[in-house]
Amino acid sequence: MTQKSTITPILLGLVVLAVSACAEAEYDMDENLSEATILEGTWSDGCLAGPNGQYGQAFSTYIGKTVRMTAQAYSDDQCTNPIASDINLRLNGTFTLEEGGKIDGKQLTKINSSLSVEHSEGLLASYYPVGMTFDAATEYFIDGDKMYG
């Protein structure tokens, strides 16, 4: 479960977005900031334990039709001491929303994103170099300030 204001699709979800096919992303910043959506604000999955004694946290900030996604590794379980790691990634782009499928009678929201890699480190940078663009689609159940994926 992800929560708004401490909310973002789960770190793994962020990396899964990066596995999507490549495509060009061009957009007019003024046009894409104009309209708020149900995602408006910052979402985070909290500080999660990872491999090799590292911890990770992901954030997604939605403003109008724009999105900024960040995944960062930390050396401590409070996610206060950032470190270099293969999971560090920053993406910027635009998104649209549409009705997704249903699970257990719950309506999912499909998020279609066109993203550009702003920062990547280590092995991840070999696959997702700075400047690379790609499209991604994910579906979540959104219940107020909580997002389930």
Side-chain angles (χ1 to χ4, degrees), residues 4 36-41 43 62 64 95 97 109 142 144-145 147:
K4 193 170 187 178
T37 69
I38 61 169
L39 297 176
E40 194 78 12
W43 299 74
Y62 295 90
F95 71 95
L97 299 175
T109 299
I142 300 171
D145 67 351
M147 181 185 297

Side-chain angles (χ1 to χ4, degrees), residues 41-93:
T42 298
W43 299 74
S44 174
D45 60 3
C47 190
L48 304 173
N52 305 321
Q54 293 182 1
Y55 296 84
Q57 190 166 22
F59 295 93
S60 293
T61 301
Y62 295 90
I63 300 171
K65 297 177 188 172
T66 64
V67 61
R68 179 179 175 95
M69 298 177 172
T70 303
Q72 176 65 51
Y74 297 87
S75 63
D76 64 303
D77 64 358
Q78 299 298 307
C79 288
T80 58
N81 187 27
I83 58 173
S85 173
D86 285 345
I87 69 162
N88 294 345
L89 181 67
R90 280 194 309 273
L91 307 170
N92 287 312

Side-chain angles (χ1 to χ4, degrees), residues 2-3 8-10 12 16-17 21 23 28-29 33 61 78 86 97 106 122 131 137 140 148:
T2 333
Q3 293 189 351
T8 291
I10 301 177
L12 179 58
V16 168
L17 283 175
D28 177 346
M29 195 60 132
L33 290 176
T61 301
Q78 299 298 307
D86 285 345
L97 299 175
K106 297 188 185 315
Y140 297 97
Y148 303 87

